[in-house]
Amino acid sequence: MFIQAARLVAVGAFAAAHFCASAAYADKADDTLRVAFTEDIINLDYNYTTKREYIIISELVDETLLAINPADGSYLPALATRYEQIDPVTMDLTLRDDVSFHDGTAMTAEDVAYSYNIMTSEDAQSLSGGRIAVWFDSAEVLEPHKVRFHFKTQYPLALQDMAIRVPIRKSGTYDANGTFDPNAVSGGPVGLGPYKIASFEPGSDLVLERFDDYYSGGPKGDPAISKIVIRSLPDEGTQQAELISGGIDWIYGVQRDIAESLGQMPNVAHLSGPDRRIGFLILDAGGLVNPDGPLTDLKVRRAMAHAIDRAGIAEALIGGAAARIEGACHPSELGCNHPVSVYDYDPEKARALLAEAGYGDGFETEIWAYRDKPMSEAIVSDLQAVGINAKLRQVKLDSLNVARANRQILSYFGTWGGDTAPPIRQHFDADSDRNLSGDAELAQMVTDAYTELDSERQAELFAAIHARITDQVYWVPLWSYSVNYLTDPDLVFPLDDDGFPRLYKASWKQ
């Protein structure tokens, strides 16, 4: 059983462009992919890090029990080939028997049990341990390739944590000398992934070599490129100059206008792919800030949904793979294909709904935002066009968080994504200050969905949740985001639906 339950560079840089073609062929000749990160790479132990650059590296050198299908968010077998929920708080996992660590040591259930038990120990104080501590109690070895997990409480999202959070370490990794050392593998773990660490200079260079004994048949496939060099280059202009001159083959998170301009050069390829981040406008539907305010009226909220040109804003201000969304989730998430109410851009219908609600002359409100000011201004402009006198209050995230906690925000433009958990629980749980719906029944539905073990019943609950959020317009779903890459033209780099860059999928054009 396996149930299907991430500015233009200086003018001088352009003068170096003619070097790029020969450099690209050199890269193909020595089969080395050269990558640049803005972030300084200091600690290679994903148990103690969270930033995306570290996740990208961990995907190369580490393995987890399960994997995520980037097309739909479902779970795939990885180190574990089978799992069985014995009862609500007990799960058995059967492991592959053909997996080796980078030093040639065979992986067994002892390593899996150790990895989970040590990360939740009092000494560890790890980010991985903090995440799984809500549900994980202990792991025990049943057989050489079978492990039993004991839960503190019924928790279906344990599968998600097994897929994205805890890399498996060799037994004894952190306490080989009898005391726990949180920095034991900060310079590089003995991993199980498709690449192994050849050398590492913190804050400078990381060199990875393909692990030829990587197990076959896994979700990561067989990497085509034999070596990956990751350089820390905080200055984006330097990254772009290096790309043009052939010293770098891949950079990401490039500003749209820069990416489009450089992508016109014959020696640079511009790719634009989806990002897991989504945008939304949260509304004080429950009257938590203003009990008698206009936002408590469903017709007003639906008018606001019709007033915003979501597709137009996404295309004009984000571009690439950015697109209008209809629900409270990213389209690639598991369960985000449920039918929901759709609010097309229709200013006339928005004005009519406002008139029906008794606001034919409009009303005053305030939209808070902490990022993406051009998008915030576009939202406000569209609302003003139908008669809603919206004022933009652009602040720092910390200020918005405090004001929201103190119930001072009628509505705000927010985003959610990256490699975090889906937004439903964080925004509609009864105890979350992000929840402005005032809908106690919805909050209970969310609790029930996240504790339901039966996959069919859980799917039904999520369908009902998504339908209710959009029908009642507790928030206006806006758009998904896009990420821009610049690469060597000879590099083939697949773009996955969930927006996570998987470097192990890269190859050279033949």
Side-chain angles (χ1 to χ4, degrees), residues 329-392:
C329 53
H330 189 278
S332 70
E333 286 175 21
L334 182 64
C336 198
N337 56 351
H338 302 303
V340 295
S341 301
V342 174
Y343 300 93
D344 292 325
Y345 175 53
D346 190 339
E348 289 305 316
K349 189 168 187 176
R351 294 186 186 95
L353 285 167
L354 289 172
E356 290 176 23
Y359 295 99
D361 295 328
F363 61 90
E364 293 189 358
T365 192
E366 192 173 57
I367 307 293
W368 288 57
Y370 65 91
R371 58 173 290 163
D372 300 340
K373 190 174 182 180
M375 287 77 128
S376 307
E377 293 172 336
I379 292 169
V380 167
S381 177
D382 281 353
L383 293 175
Q384 291 175 342
V386 300
I388 299 173
N389 186 18
K391 304 295 184 182
L392 176 62

